[in-house]
Amino acid sequence: MAGRDFLSNLDMTPAELRAVLDTAHSMKRGEWRGVKPLSGLSIALVFEKASLRTRTTFDVGMYQLGGHAITLSNTEIGLGTRERVSDVARNLERWVDAVMGRVYLQQTLNELAQHAGIPVINGLSDMLHPAQLLADYQTIEDEFGTDLRGRRVVYIGDGNNLANSHIHMGILTGSEVTVVTPVGYEPNAGVLMDAVRAGVNITLTHDLAAIDGADVLYTDVWISMGQEAEADIRRRAFQGYQVTPEMLDRLAPHGIFLHCLPAHYGEETVPEATEHPKSRVFDQAENRLHAQKALLYHVMGDLKPRW
């Protein structure tokens, strides 16, 4: 993956994903402590959206690997308003060695990647959240081992960027992905076609019975940033889809619950679920650091400092 963009999980082959996750597990075990493979390298962290986990983990990750991160808010840059996205890309490529973007539109990342001669990493867009899924699958492997073929991963709620990226990870890992949504909130049609082209069966349903016996139950917010005007409509549409302790009792005995956070308690879940013995929500948040460090290493590790 050296020097390549990471805009989607499908920008990796299964072998490359395996290498990144193996590195993440090794880093979590402390086997890289004191190793500084990104010494002399810098990354620009570009934020159109607010962030706790993405900002902290990419920043700390670069520091721990010997590199430097500079955080740029949209107030400072004005992507597409104060400056054209292409001009931002052409500037950043002359100063830093990579860009991570947490943005509203996937097209913004595509345009940054098109015009920047340095790697661009998707830290979140309206379409996909691939870095999050690396941490998610590291967490699943922490629980079940590295062979996930046949493991039932059930995503419940809005067919949003997380649902889309879960489909991509099903393609790469062989996990059996089921997406449970209300009518009208299904995942992106283009992402579903990615699964069709790969010959991978993804189950779409509106029936909550799909969670019974699952190995992994995953949910996300019903109202993402930028969707506040739809809040009342969405709350009504998602009634019955809230993850509760009673719902977790329906998983397999070894089943686990994941949520990418932040949680909107009282909507898609409740505190009793994230604190439940089956919850791995905060282990999952920790793994953002390890998985993204591994990603940074595999994307930037062969780059040479410019000075």
Side-chain angles (χ1 to χ4, degrees):
M1 297 187 65
R4 291 182 2 220
D5 298 321
F6 179 68
L7 305 183
S8 159
N9 293 109
L10 294 188
D11 287 333
M12 294 176 163
T13 66
E16 289 166 342
L17 172 63
R18 179 73 269 137
V20 169
L21 290 177
D22 284 347
T23 301
H25 290 303
S26 176
M27 288 177 168
K28 186 174 184 177
R29 292 192 296 267
E31 295 168 6
W32 290 63
R33 191 167 291 121
V35 179
K36 306 292 184 182
L38 303 189
S39 178
L41 299 178
S42 297
I43 188 169
L45 307 179
V46 176
F47 290 93
E48 285 189 308
K49 287 190 169 187
S51 172
L52 170 64
R53 281 153 294 278
T54 300
R55 175 173 179 173
T56 304
T57 51
F58 271 106
D59 195 327
V60 172
M62 280 296 290
Y63 168 76
Q64 290 182 352
L65 294 176
H68 174 72
I70 179 170
T71 298
L72 300 168
S73 71
N74 204 42
T75 303
E76 295 163 309
I77 299 178
L79 278 170
T81 54
R82 182 173 178 269
E83 291 196 57
R84 297 190 306 174
V85 175
S86 58
D87 285 359
V88 172
R90 292 185 178 109
N91 277 265
L92 289 176
E93 70 174 358
R94 294 172 183 244
W95 304 324
V96 299
D97 304 289
V99 176
M100 187 288 301
R102 180 178 169 89
V103 301
Y104 283 100
L105 301 177
Q106 181 75 20
Q107 178 56 35
T108 301
L109 292 170
N110 295 343
E111 193 170 349
L112 282 170
Q114 178 184 352
H115 294 284
I118 55 177
V120 174
I121 294 171
N122 183 350
L124 177 139
S125 74
D126 62 331
M127 181 67 68
L128 299 168
H129 200 352
Q132 174 68 55
L133 266 291
L134 297 180
D136 297 342
Y137 269 72
Q138 180 180 0
T139 310
I140 295 169
E141 289 189 353
D142 284 341
E143 200 73 25
F144 299 114
T146 59
D147 184 359
L148 299 179
R149 289 172 296 180
R151 288 288 178 187
R152 289 189 58 220
V153 177
V154 177
Y155 174 93
I156 180 174
D158 187 20
N160 61 12
N161 50 8
L162 266 299
N164 293 335
S165 289
H166 268 286
I167 292 168
H168 282 171
M169 289 297 280
I171 294 171
L172 291 172
T173 67
S175 60
E176 295 182 2
V177 174
T178 297
V179 180
V180 187
T181 68
V183 175
Y185 292 90
E186 295 83 1
N188 178 268
V191 171
L192 292 171
M193 282 304 301
D194 291 335
V196 171
R197 284 189 290 268
V200 172
N201 182 48
I202 302 295
T203 300
L204 300 183
T205 183
H206 314 301
D207 188 350
L208 294 170
I211 71 174
D212 293 339
D215 297 301
V216 180
L217 181 64
Y218 196 114
T219 195
D220 186 25
V221 297
W222 296 342
I223 305 157
S224 297
M225 284 180 280
Q227 296 176 334
E228 289 80 5
E230 307 171 32
D232 290 341
I233 295 171
R234 284 176 166 268
R235 289 189 187 102
R236 287 194 294 271
F238 287 96
Q239 288 302 309
Y241 286 78
Q242 183 183 84
V243 176
T244 62
E246 292 74 22
M247 190 177 284
L248 298 185
D249 289 340
R250 296 167 59 179
L251 304 181
H254 56 259
I256 62 172
F257 170 50
L258 300 178
H259 189 310
C260 62
L261 299 178
H264 292 176
Y265 292 120
E267 293 182 2
E268 79 281 355
T269 193
V270 293
E272 293 81 5
T274 57
E275 301 290 346
H276 193 276
K278 289 187 175 181
S279 171
R280 300 295 182 271
V281 168
F282 299 105
D283 297 325
Q284 175 188 4
E286 176 190 337
N287 284 341
R288 289 291 299 274
L289 176 61
H290 309 303
Q292 287 166 186
K293 283 169 62 178
L295 175 66
L296 290 168
Y297 168 72
H298 282 274
V299 169
M300 301 179 67
D302 287 341
L303 302 179
K304 303 299 182 186
R306 304 186 189 194
W307 57 278

